[in-house]
Short mmCIF file of all heavy atoms in Angstrom, two decimals:
data_model
loop_
_atom_site.label_atom_id
_atom_site.label_comp_id
_atom_site.label_asym_id
_atom_site.label_seq_id
_atom_site.Cartn_x
_atom_site.Cartn_y
_atom_site.Cartn_z
N CYS A 16 5.59 225.29 222.54
CA CYS A 16 6.91 225.89 222.58
C CYS A 16 7.54 225.87 221.19
O CYS A 16 6.99 225.23 220.27
CB CYS A 16 7.83 225.19 223.56
SG CYS A 16 8.10 223.44 223.18
N THR A 17 8.68 226.49 221.01
CA THR A 17 9.36 226.47 219.72
C THR A 17 10.11 225.14 219.58
O THR A 17 10.31 224.44 220.56
CB THR A 17 10.36 227.60 219.62
OG1 THR A 17 11.44 227.35 220.56
CG2 THR A 17 9.77 228.97 219.93
N PRO A 18 10.57 224.77 218.37
CA PRO A 18 11.31 223.57 218.18
C PRO A 18 12.57 223.49 219.05
O PRO A 18 12.87 222.40 219.62
CB PRO A 18 11.67 223.58 216.69
CG PRO A 18 10.56 224.34 216.05
CD PRO A 18 10.20 225.40 217.04
N VAL A 19 13.31 224.56 219.18
CA VAL A 19 14.54 224.52 219.99
C VAL A 19 14.17 224.35 221.47
O VAL A 19 14.85 223.61 222.20
CB VAL A 19 15.39 225.77 219.73
CG1 VAL A 19 16.56 225.88 220.79
CG2 VAL A 19 16.02 225.72 218.36
N GLU A 20 13.17 225.05 221.96
CA GLU A 20 12.71 224.83 223.35
C GLU A 20 12.26 223.38 223.55
O GLU A 20 12.55 222.81 224.63
CB GLU A 20 11.59 225.80 223.64
CG GLU A 20 12.02 227.26 223.74
CD GLU A 20 10.86 228.21 223.79
OE1 GLU A 20 9.74 227.82 223.36
OE2 GLU A 20 11.08 229.38 224.21
N TYR A 21 11.58 222.87 222.61
CA TYR A 21 11.19 221.41 222.70
C TYR A 21 12.39 220.50 222.77
O TYR A 21 12.43 219.58 223.58
CB TYR A 21 10.30 221.09 221.48
CG TYR A 21 9.79 219.65 221.42
CD1 TYR A 21 8.99 219.12 222.45
CD2 TYR A 21 10.10 218.83 220.34
CE1 TYR A 21 8.53 217.81 222.41
CE2 TYR A 21 9.64 217.54 220.28
CZ TYR A 21 8.84 217.05 221.30
OH TYR A 21 8.38 215.73 221.24
N ALA A 22 13.36 220.75 221.90
CA ALA A 22 14.59 219.91 221.92
C ALA A 22 15.26 219.99 223.24
O ALA A 22 15.70 218.97 223.84
CB ALA A 22 15.51 220.35 220.77
N GLU A 23 15.38 221.20 223.79
CA GLU A 23 16.09 221.36 225.06
C GLU A 23 15.32 220.66 226.15
O GLU A 23 15.90 219.99 227.08
CB GLU A 23 16.27 222.83 225.37
CG GLU A 23 17.08 223.04 226.64
CD GLU A 23 17.70 224.47 226.73
OE1 GLU A 23 17.10 225.39 226.18
OE2 GLU A 23 18.75 224.60 227.31
N ARG A 24 13.99 220.74 226.13
CA ARG A 24 13.19 220.07 227.14
C ARG A 24 13.42 218.57 227.15
O ARG A 24 13.33 217.93 228.24
CB ARG A 24 11.73 220.34 226.83
CG ARG A 24 10.70 219.73 227.83
CD ARG A 24 9.28 219.93 227.27
NE ARG A 24 8.93 221.34 227.10
CZ ARG A 24 7.79 221.71 226.54
NH1 ARG A 24 6.89 220.80 226.05
NH2 ARG A 24 7.49 223.00 226.38
N LEU A 25 13.74 217.97 226.04
CA LEU A 25 13.92 216.56 225.90
C LEU A 25 15.38 216.13 225.99
O LEU A 25 15.70 214.95 225.83
CB LEU A 25 13.36 216.05 224.55
CG LEU A 25 11.83 216.31 224.36
CD1 LEU A 25 11.46 215.78 222.93
CD2 LEU A 25 11.01 215.62 225.42
N GLY A 26 16.27 217.06 226.31
CA GLY A 26 17.66 216.74 226.47
C GLY A 26 18.41 216.62 225.12
O GLY A 26 19.46 215.96 225.04
N TRP A 27 17.92 217.34 224.13
CA TRP A 27 18.45 217.28 222.80
C TRP A 27 19.29 218.49 222.38
O TRP A 27 19.37 218.81 221.23
CB TRP A 27 17.32 217.01 221.79
CG TRP A 27 17.17 215.52 221.54
CD1 TRP A 27 16.51 214.65 222.28
CD2 TRP A 27 17.73 214.83 220.45
NE1 TRP A 27 16.61 213.37 221.75
CE2 TRP A 27 17.35 213.44 220.58
CE3 TRP A 27 18.53 215.15 219.34
CZ2 TRP A 27 17.73 212.47 219.71
CZ3 TRP A 27 18.87 214.17 218.43
CH2 TRP A 27 18.52 212.81 218.63
N LEU A 28 19.86 219.16 223.36
CA LEU A 28 20.90 220.16 223.03
C LEU A 28 22.17 219.74 223.79
O LEU A 28 22.11 219.26 224.89
CB LEU A 28 20.46 221.54 223.48
CG LEU A 28 19.21 222.17 222.81
CD1 LEU A 28 19.03 223.58 223.31
CD2 LEU A 28 19.29 222.08 221.32
N GLY A 29 23.30 220.00 223.15
CA GLY A 29 24.60 219.64 223.80
C GLY A 29 25.66 219.51 222.78
O GLY A 29 25.42 219.43 221.56
N PRO A 30 26.93 219.38 223.24
CA PRO A 30 28.10 219.23 222.34
C PRO A 30 28.16 217.94 221.55
O PRO A 30 28.95 217.82 220.64
CB PRO A 30 29.28 219.40 223.28
CG PRO A 30 28.76 218.98 224.65
CD PRO A 30 27.36 219.44 224.66
N ASP A 31 27.30 216.99 221.93
CA ASP A 31 27.24 215.73 221.18
C ASP A 31 26.05 215.68 220.20
O ASP A 31 25.72 214.66 219.62
CB ASP A 31 27.11 214.55 222.14
CG ASP A 31 25.94 214.66 223.10
OD1 ASP A 31 25.31 215.72 223.16
OD2 ASP A 31 25.70 213.70 223.89
N VAL A 32 25.44 216.81 219.93
CA VAL A 32 24.23 216.92 219.10
C VAL A 32 24.54 217.81 217.87
O VAL A 32 25.13 218.89 218.06
CB VAL A 32 23.03 217.52 219.84
CG1 VAL A 32 21.81 217.63 218.88
CG2 VAL A 32 22.70 216.65 221.07
N TRP A 33 24.15 217.35 216.69
CA TRP A 33 24.11 218.25 215.56
C TRP A 33 22.76 218.18 214.92
O TRP A 33 22.19 217.12 214.77
CB TRP A 33 25.29 218.03 214.55
CG TRP A 33 25.17 217.00 213.50
CD1 TRP A 33 24.89 217.23 212.16
CD2 TRP A 33 25.32 215.58 213.59
NE1 TRP A 33 24.86 216.06 211.45
CE2 TRP A 33 25.14 215.01 212.28
CE3 TRP A 33 25.61 214.70 214.65
CZ2 TRP A 33 25.23 213.68 212.04
CZ3 TRP A 33 25.75 213.37 214.39
CH2 TRP A 33 25.53 212.85 213.08
N LEU A 34 22.18 219.32 214.59
CA LEU A 34 20.83 219.51 214.09
C LEU A 34 20.82 219.84 212.61
O LEU A 34 21.61 220.71 212.17
CB LEU A 34 20.15 220.59 214.84
CG LEU A 34 20.09 220.48 216.38
CD1 LEU A 34 19.55 221.77 217.02
CD2 LEU A 34 19.26 219.27 216.79
N ALA A 35 19.95 219.19 211.86
CA ALA A 35 19.83 219.49 210.44
C ALA A 35 18.93 220.71 210.24
O ALA A 35 17.81 220.77 210.81
CB ALA A 35 19.27 218.30 209.67
N HIS A 36 19.36 221.66 209.44
CA HIS A 36 18.67 222.83 208.96
C HIS A 36 18.69 223.99 209.89
O HIS A 36 19.32 225.03 209.63
CB HIS A 36 17.21 222.45 208.59
CG HIS A 36 17.12 221.38 207.56
ND1 HIS A 36 17.62 221.51 206.32
CD2 HIS A 36 16.64 220.11 207.69
CE1 HIS A 36 17.41 220.41 205.62
NE2 HIS A 36 16.87 219.50 206.45
N ALA A 37 17.95 223.99 211.01
CA ALA A 37 17.94 225.07 211.95
C ALA A 37 17.73 226.44 211.23
O ALA A 37 18.47 227.39 211.40
CB ALA A 37 19.24 225.14 212.77
N VAL A 38 16.72 226.49 210.41
CA VAL A 38 16.42 227.69 209.62
C VAL A 38 15.70 228.74 210.42
O VAL A 38 16.04 229.91 210.42
CB VAL A 38 15.61 227.35 208.34
CG1 VAL A 38 15.19 228.57 207.59
CG2 VAL A 38 16.44 226.38 207.43
N HIS A 39 14.62 228.29 211.10
CA HIS A 39 13.72 229.26 211.80
C HIS A 39 14.08 229.32 213.26
O HIS A 39 13.57 228.59 214.14
CB HIS A 39 12.29 228.79 211.57
CG HIS A 39 11.87 228.89 210.16
ND1 HIS A 39 11.41 230.04 209.57
CD2 HIS A 39 11.92 227.99 209.18
CE1 HIS A 39 11.17 229.86 208.29
NE2 HIS A 39 11.45 228.56 208.00
N LEU A 40 15.04 230.19 213.53
CA LEU A 40 15.54 230.40 214.92
C LEU A 40 15.36 231.89 215.29
O LEU A 40 15.74 232.77 214.54
CB LEU A 40 17.03 230.06 214.98
CG LEU A 40 17.46 228.68 214.55
CD1 LEU A 40 19.00 228.57 214.61
CD2 LEU A 40 16.82 227.58 215.36
N ASP A 41 14.85 232.11 216.51
CA ASP A 41 14.88 233.48 217.06
C ASP A 41 16.23 233.62 217.82
O ASP A 41 17.03 232.77 217.93
CB ASP A 41 13.69 233.75 217.96
CG ASP A 41 13.54 232.76 219.09
OD1 ASP A 41 14.58 232.12 219.50
OD2 ASP A 41 12.43 232.62 219.64
N ASP A 42 16.45 234.88 218.32
CA ASP A 42 17.71 235.13 218.96
C ASP A 42 17.94 234.23 220.21
O ASP A 42 19.05 233.84 220.47
CB ASP A 42 17.78 236.62 219.43
CG ASP A 42 17.86 237.59 218.23
OD1 ASP A 42 18.17 237.12 217.16
OD2 ASP A 42 17.62 238.75 218.44
N HIS A 43 16.87 233.96 220.92
CA HIS A 43 17.03 233.06 222.06
C HIS A 43 17.48 231.67 221.67
O HIS A 43 18.35 231.13 222.29
CB HIS A 43 15.65 232.99 222.80
CG HIS A 43 15.66 232.00 223.99
ND1 HIS A 43 16.32 232.27 225.14
CD2 HIS A 43 15.16 230.75 224.06
CE1 HIS A 43 16.17 231.25 225.98
NE2 HIS A 43 15.47 230.30 225.37
N ALA A 44 16.94 231.18 220.56
CA ALA A 44 17.29 229.84 220.09
C ALA A 44 18.76 229.80 219.68
O ALA A 44 19.54 228.87 220.01
CB ALA A 44 16.42 229.43 218.92
N VAL A 45 19.23 230.85 218.97
CA VAL A 45 20.65 230.92 218.55
C VAL A 45 21.50 230.89 219.80
O VAL A 45 22.52 230.21 219.87
CB VAL A 45 20.88 232.20 217.73
CG1 VAL A 45 22.38 232.40 217.47
CG2 VAL A 45 20.21 232.11 216.37
N GLY A 46 21.11 231.65 220.85
CA GLY A 46 21.88 231.71 222.03
C GLY A 46 21.94 230.39 222.79
O GLY A 46 22.98 230.03 223.34
N ARG A 47 20.80 229.61 222.72
CA ARG A 47 20.83 228.34 223.40
C ARG A 47 21.70 227.33 222.69
O ARG A 47 22.38 226.48 223.30
CB ARG A 47 19.38 227.78 223.51
CG ARG A 47 18.47 228.55 224.42
CD ARG A 47 19.10 228.82 225.79
NE ARG A 47 19.43 227.54 226.48
CZ ARG A 47 20.41 227.37 227.33
NH1 ARG A 47 21.24 228.38 227.62
NH2 ARG A 47 20.56 226.20 227.90
#
């Protein structure tokens, strides 16, 4: 999967998370 999909799978997206860089994002990742 993509890095953002991997992060979401592990519970690593949310209002208490900030991610460094986030350079390579597709539209779905930006939306998530």
Side-chain angles (χ1 to χ4, degrees):
C16 60
T17 68
V19 169
E20 289 169 341
Y21 179 60
E23 185 161 29
R24 181 188 301 172
L25 299 179
W27 266 82
L28 298 185
D31 55 353
V32 178
W33 87 101
L34 304 171
H36 304 295
V38 174
H39 295 277
L40 304 177
D41 57 21
D42 290 345
H43 175 74
V45 171
R47 292 311 300 151

